[in-house]
Amino acid sequence: MTNSMRLVFSTIILLCVLICSASGFCAANPGEKMARGVMNVWNGQYALTDDVHNAMYYEGPIGFFPGLCKGAGAMAVRSLSGIYDIIFFWLPVPKNWDPLVQPELNM
């Protein structure tokens, strides 16, 4: 890593810390948003298996493919909302750090 890359990287980190420490930009609980994002990225694949299981339970073997399609979409939405929560944990959007997807966690 060159010196200029280190300078840019450390400037970005310092800027993030300063923004998070400013009282106007951080509200009550940005750490909860970060933790929720990590959990949604970590457990996003379970949305796929849960939807396949539920579809096969209620519709029999024919429910595999509809469950697979629905689960793949749910996994993508949950994982992408988790990535959003991780990147923008310091920003209170949506209002008051509410989750983008419901339920908040898929457990």
Side-chain angles (χ1 to χ4, degrees), residues 49-100:
T49 57
D50 288 345
D51 285 339
V52 169
H53 175 265
N54 288 337
M56 288 183 69
Y57 180 79
Y58 291 110
E59 300 173 23
I62 195 96
F64 176 76
F65 291 109
L68 187 66
C69 292
K70 182 181 175 189
M75 179 182 75
V77 167
R78 186 162 296 278
S79 297
L80 290 174
S81 73
I83 291 170
Y84 172 83
D85 283 345
I86 291 171
I87 293 173
F88 296 109
F89 73 95
W90 51 272
L91 190 63
V93 175
K95 187 179 178 186
N96 296 328
W97 289 275
D98 290 336
L100 292 174

Side-chain angles (χ1 to χ4, degrees), residues 15-27 90:
L15 182 63
C16 288
V17 169
L18 288 174
I19 287 173
C20 287
S21 64
S23 63
F25 289 103
C26 282
W90 51 272

Side-chain angles (χ1 to χ4, degrees), residues 3-16:
N3 286 338
S4 62
M5 288 176 62
R6 285 186 198 154
L7 179 63
V8 168
F9 183 71
S10 60
T11 304
I12 290 171
I13 297 295
L14 181 63
L15 182 63
C16 288

